[in-house]
Amino acid sequence: MLLIDQVKSTIRDVEGYPKPGIVFKDITPVLADPVLMKRIIQFFVRNYRDKKIDAVAAIEARGFILGSVLAHELACSFIPLRKAGKLPFNTRKQRYDLEYGTAELEIHTDAIKPGASVLVHDDLLATGGTACAAGHLIKSFGGELAGFSFLINLGFLPGARNLQEQFGLAPDFLIKY
């Protein structure tokens, strides 16, 4: 079975979560399948192994799961991008808009060296607000964006367009809905 088809058939749709009208893409069944997870990681590694990535910056919380393994496989640093107030050391923050308010993303102030090539990873791209905040944080340190990778792209929302407009980078993803 093609990887895309296998992942799509394994993702569980949860109607009305976290609020009515939303169909949540639950990747928990994907995480439970070690063979499928290995194939997913191999997909992303093939896309980035020749790009000399210095770090994978992954977005809390589900982005950590694949992002940390991807960093390991690419033999580079892993940088956690967290919700405000979750990191214990000195941080830099980036505020971004949500459909229901605002939020902040944080990174440690010593996480990125100027000129470092950083791949941003998360599980799902929707409007792109969080990913754009991550990109702005990386650029604020003088880091170079190597790309944006996602397991899922909700193509009916403007996330890919927003990343392209703000950073000139088309996101890399396995599944598009």
Side-chain angles (χ1 to χ4, degrees), residues 29-85:
V30 173
L31 302 175
D33 185 333
V35 174
L36 183 56
M37 285 289 291
K38 184 173 184 173
R39 290 182 68 202
I40 291 167
I41 291 298
Q42 288 171 342
F43 167 82
F44 285 113
V45 168
R46 273 192 305 275
N47 292 347
Y48 293 100
R49 77 171 136 224
D50 296 329
K51 295 195 177 189
K52 298 182 180 159
I53 307 292
D54 295 311
V56 173
I59 299 170
E60 182 176 1
R62 297 188 314 171
F64 288 0
I65 300 164
L66 292 177
S68 62
V69 178
L70 186 55
H72 172 78
E73 290 296 315
L74 292 172
C76 67
S77 299
F78 174 76
I79 300 170
L81 297 169
R82 307 254 357 232
K83 296 171 186 164

Side-chain angles (χ1 to χ4, degrees), residues 67-128:
S68 62
V69 178
L70 186 55
H72 172 78
E73 290 296 315
L74 292 172
C76 67
S77 299
F78 174 76
I79 300 170
L81 297 169
R82 307 254 357 232
K83 296 171 186 164
K86 301 274 185 160
L87 289 172
F89 188 63
N90 299 327
T91 62
R92 185 174 294 176
K93 297 178 185 181
Q94 179 71 42
R95 183 178 295 268
Y96 62 98
D97 291 326
L98 301 166
E99 61 188 64
Y100 48 84
T102 62
E104 288 182 319
L105 196 61
E106 284 186 331
I107 187 171
H108 278 142
T109 55
D110 62 354
I112 298 173
K113 307 249 183 299
S117 177
V118 182
L119 172 65
V120 175
H121 179 80
D122 203 359
D123 68 312
L124 185 134
L125 175 61
T127 63

Side-chain angles (χ1 to χ4, degrees), residues 11-26 62 124 152 154 156-157 177:
I11 291 171
R12 176 175 36 218
D13 286 347
V14 180
E15 302 274 341
Y17 182 83
K19 63 183 188 175
I22 302 289
V23 178
F24 184 81
K25 298 295 185 191
D26 182 9
R62 297 188 314 171
L124 185 134
I152 301 166
L154 299 180
F156 56 89
L157 293 172
Y177 287 99

